[in-house]
Amino acid sequence: MKPIVAVSTPIGVGAISIVRMSGDGCLNIATKVFSCKEKIEPRRVILGTFHFNNINEKCLLVYFKAPHSYTGEDIVEFQCHGGEFLTKEVLNALIKNGASLAENGEFTKRAFLNGKVSLDSAEGIIDVINAGTEAELKAGYNLMSGKLLTEVKTLQSSIVDAIANLDMTLDYPEHDDEAETLLTTKKTISDVLKKLRELLSTSSAGKLIKNGITVAIVGKPNVGKSSLLNALLGEERAIVTDIEGTTRDTITETIIYKNIKINFIDTAGVRESDNIVEKIGIDRSYRSINSADIVLVVLDSSSELTEDDKKLLDLTKDKKRIIILNKMDKQKKLDINEKYILISAKDGKNIEQVKEEIFNSFDGGNIDISGLILTNVRHIEALSKAKEIAEKALDSCDNSTTDIISFLLKELWVELGKITGETETESIIDAIFSKFCLGK
Ligand SMILES: Nc1nc2c(ncn2[C@@H]2O[C@H](COP(=O)(O)OP(=O)(O)OP(=O)(O)O)[C@@H](O)[C@H]2O)c(=O)[nH]1
Ligand SMILES: [Mg+2]
């Protein structure tokens, strides 16, 4: 394919920057602008000079010969001094000499098209790059190293065997015992279904690893929501005053607690208000309640329950929630007939307990990050669809004809192929790679 080029390191000032080129003839382009004493051999670091305009940049070149490269094509990488101007000059020189600017993810897309990686492994690469926690990184590595690919391939191969046996009974009914074939087919489908259910059972842990837990901190004005946010973050992020209605807009901040991201949303105190700005803020508080995975309902333990408190307790009664009684440093006047955590946001008392309770509400402690965990929505959707088809196929073993079972198994094979990319449409493949960063 035609040579493409991109800066593979982040744009900005740094010690080095890497400009990468891939495609037919990229070594030719490189030697037009790069001179060195040594012979350029694959997989060796060559010191030389990059000449362009009036620039003579002493830098390193690495050449990977097709097919032994990331993309499966010839690749040339320049490791130059970091710096925005210089890096762009190197890039422009290569473009002037025949390379085109790569699109987002185009290197990895080529690796996929050249059979170097499957689609799910490529998605693992994005996850590794974007990982913010050890759990995300491990899940990304598992995908990248082909753990899901192996599972899918094993399922597909048993499905292919089953299809071949069924088609044999259709084509040569005289040579085959249909009843026995049906029995083995049924066993195969049951095994496939079991595996699919097993894989899908990891998806809630996967969602937790990928998205974290979104927690809305709600309550009437002045109960100490912003103080609680600050205590949870361990920094003075939100403005705290004794004026009711201090927080007008929602504030979102994330912490990592025991490998899980917890995204806190501090909200505007909920009460009846005529102030237009405050009203918009309160509206946002309600929206945060709806979109959160769990709500911290904050009450002031030093005063009795008010109508505003009661309304909020009622509004959140069907949601996952933790009731927080704040200001425990003051005389306690509030009692409530429900489980709660008594804290002092001001003194930082029992804040760890709040984090632990959130974590435990989602079984955070039971996630085994060493195994394969489904974190990617596309994979989960394809496997769910595959599960439905497998269930239909299993049913049809008892009440349909052989050709229908065979048809369903082919459909099942195609659905699984979407995970590896074998049977995925071009537009979806394009959409996946466009989510990559430039130069990857
Ligand atoms: N004694 C005591 N005061 C607290 C505690 N937590 C917060 N406060 C005080 O309560 C007042 C309100 O605190 P905020 O954190 O701004 O309350 P809020 O719920 O965010 O208020 P709004 O943004 O107006 O809805 C401030 O004067 C805080 O110092 C606590 O644990 N103990
Ligand atoms: Mg506030």
Side-chain angles (χ1 to χ4, degrees):
M1 280 195 241
K2 68 179 176 43
I4 49 168
V5 65
V7 182
S8 290
T9 39
I11 297 288
V13 179
I16 51 168
S17 73
I18 297 177
V19 180
R20 177 157 66 164
M21 223 181 350
S22 173
D24 298 337
C26 68
L27 188 61
N28 272 344
I29 296 176
T31 49
K32 285 185 199 165
V33 282
F34 181 83
S35 59
C36 53
K37 287 188 189 133
E38 291 167 79
K39 185 167 176 276
I40 298 176
E41 279 171 20
R43 293 168 183 245
R44 281 196 51 209
V45 180
I46 312 283
L47 178 65
T49 309
F50 194 102
H51 310 275
F52 181 62
N53 290 343
N54 293 320
I55 297 164
N56 292 309
E57 157 73 355
K58 203 169 174 188
C59 66
L60 300 173
L61 175 150
V62 188
Y63 168 51
F64 300 91
K65 191 169 166 52
H68 306 292
S69 73
Y70 181 71
T71 55
E73 306 174 330
D74 274 358
I75 283 188
V76 174
E77 275 183 17
F78 290 102
Q79 299 180 10
C80 319
H81 290 97
E84 222 170 312
F85 178 74
L86 175 65
T87 307
K88 282 195 180 141
E89 285 291 292
V90 171
L91 183 73
N92 287 335
L94 297 170
I95 291 173
K96 282 241 165 86
N97 280 286
S100 321
L101 188 62
E103 289 171 12
N104 284 24
E106 201 173 350
F107 289 90
T108 312
K109 186 174 166 186
R110 287 188 176 194
F112 167 71
L113 295 174
N114 291 324
K116 296 292 278 191
V117 287
S118 59
L119 197 53
D120 54 315
S121 303
E123 286 165 309
I125 299 172
I126 325 182
D127 290 349
V128 166
I129 293 173
N130 291 332
T133 62
E134 189 192 340
E136 270 188 286
L137 185 63
K138 285 222 164 118
Y141 274 142
N142 279 338
L143 255 190
M144 193 176 107
S145 63
K147 276 213 168 131
L148 181 59
L149 179 73
T150 311
E151 298 284 5
V152 169
K153 287 277 174 206
T154 309
L155 291 176
Q156 279 187 312
S157 109
S158 65
I159 293 164
V160 166
D161 288 347
I163 294 171
N165 288 337
L166 285 174
D167 288 357
M168 183 85 97
T169 44
L170 284 170
D171 295 342
Y172 308 100
E174 67 282 8
H175 292 304
D176 212 79
D177 182 346
E178 195 182 345
E180 200 186 306
T181 306
L182 265 182
L183 216 64
T184 47
T185 307
K186 214 170 153 178
K187 167 88 174 65
T188 304
I189 303 174
S190 303
D191 290 347
V192 168
L193 204 49
K194 189 166 160 240
K195 189 76 214 175
L196 290 173
R197 288 191 177 129
E198 210 177 280
L199 287 170
L200 282 164
S201 71
T202 66
S203 61
S204 53
K207 182 176 169 266
L208 206 60
I209 289 175
K210 187 104 173 191
N211 305 336
I213 305 168
T214 300
V215 185
I217 307 174
V218 299
K220 68 176 182 216
N222 254 0
V223 288
K225 299 177 296 299
S226 301
S227 306
L228 174 57
L229 174 79
N230 292 345
L232 288 161
L233 299 177
E235 62 173 287
E236 297 305 305
R237 169 66 180 86
I239 300 171
V240 169
T241 74
D242 56 3
I243 303 164
E244 293 195 350
T246 301
T247 306
R248 292 293 173 95
D249 207 346
T250 49
I251 300 175
T252 305
E253 286 293 335
T254 299
I255 61 162
I256 293 167
Y257 183 73
K258 296 188 179 173
N259 247 324
I260 299 291
K261 283 178 279 190
I262 307 184
N263 316 303
F264 291 107
I265 312 173
D266 177 24
T267 64
V270 173
R271 63 166 169 183
E272 287 299 323
S273 169
D274 292 332
N275 182 296
I276 182 156
V277 181
E278 192 176 0
K279 269 169 92 171
I280 295 171
I282 293 169
D283 237 34
R284 290 189 181 179
S285 303
Y286 287 128
R287 268 188 267 150
S288 301
I289 293 176
N290 287 331
S291 64
D293 298 313
I294 186 165
V295 178
L296 301 186
V297 182
V298 187
L299 305 171
D300 181 346
S301 68
S302 68
S303 62
E304 277 165 21
L305 216 60
T306 64
E307 278 311 306
D308 285 329
D309 292 325
K310 284 183 195 158
K311 260 194 219 158
L312 257 178
L313 284 169
D314 194 50
L315 189 75
T316 54
K317 70 176 188 299
D318 296 327
K319 277 226 60 132
K320 214 175 208 165
R321 72 175 180 194
I322 300 171
I323 296 174
I324 307 280
L325 264 54
N326 189 28
K327 310 196 184 181
M328 69 184 279
D329 50 291
K330 288 167 90 173
Q331 170 89 37
K332 188 165 181 262
K333 287 208 185 122
L334 181 71
D335 212 0
I336 177 164
N337 224 352
E338 262 185 81
K339 199 179 149 212
Y340 58 79
I341 304 177
L342 196 59
I343 67 158
S344 169
K346 199 174 86 178
D347 298 342
K349 283 260 163 63
N350 294 346
I351 300 301
E352 282 307 299
Q353 202 183 323
V354 176
K355 293 181 190 171
E356 189 64 19
E357 188 67 28
I358 296 169
F359 183 75
N360 289 336
S361 305
F362 291 87
D363 272 344
N366 290 329
I367 300 175
D368 173 15
I369 60 171
S370 61
L372 176 61
I373 295 177
L374 296 179
T375 51
N376 183 304
V377 178
R378 197 183 71 81
H379 304 162
I380 295 167
E381 276 173 7
L383 287 171
S384 305
K385 184 85 193 295
K387 185 183 79 114
E388 274 172 35
I389 302 170
E391 280 163 349
K392 246 200 244 171
L394 193 63
D395 269 359
S396 60
C397 285
D398 291 326
N399 45 37
S400 278
T401 48
T402 311
D403 55 340
I404 292 186
I405 309 167
S406 168
F407 171 80
L408 285 169
L409 288 180
K410 282 168 194 152
E411 224 185 307
L412 179 58
W413 186 91
V414 169
E415 197 57 42
L416 289 170
K418 289 184 182 169
I419 293 173
T420 60
E422 235 172 330
T423 57
E424 193 51 286
T425 60
E426 208 178 309
S427 59
I428 294 207
I429 288 168
D430 285 346
I432 290 167
F433 286 108
S434 68
K435 281 190 248 156
F436 272 60
C437 41
L438 199 66
K440 189 66 197 166

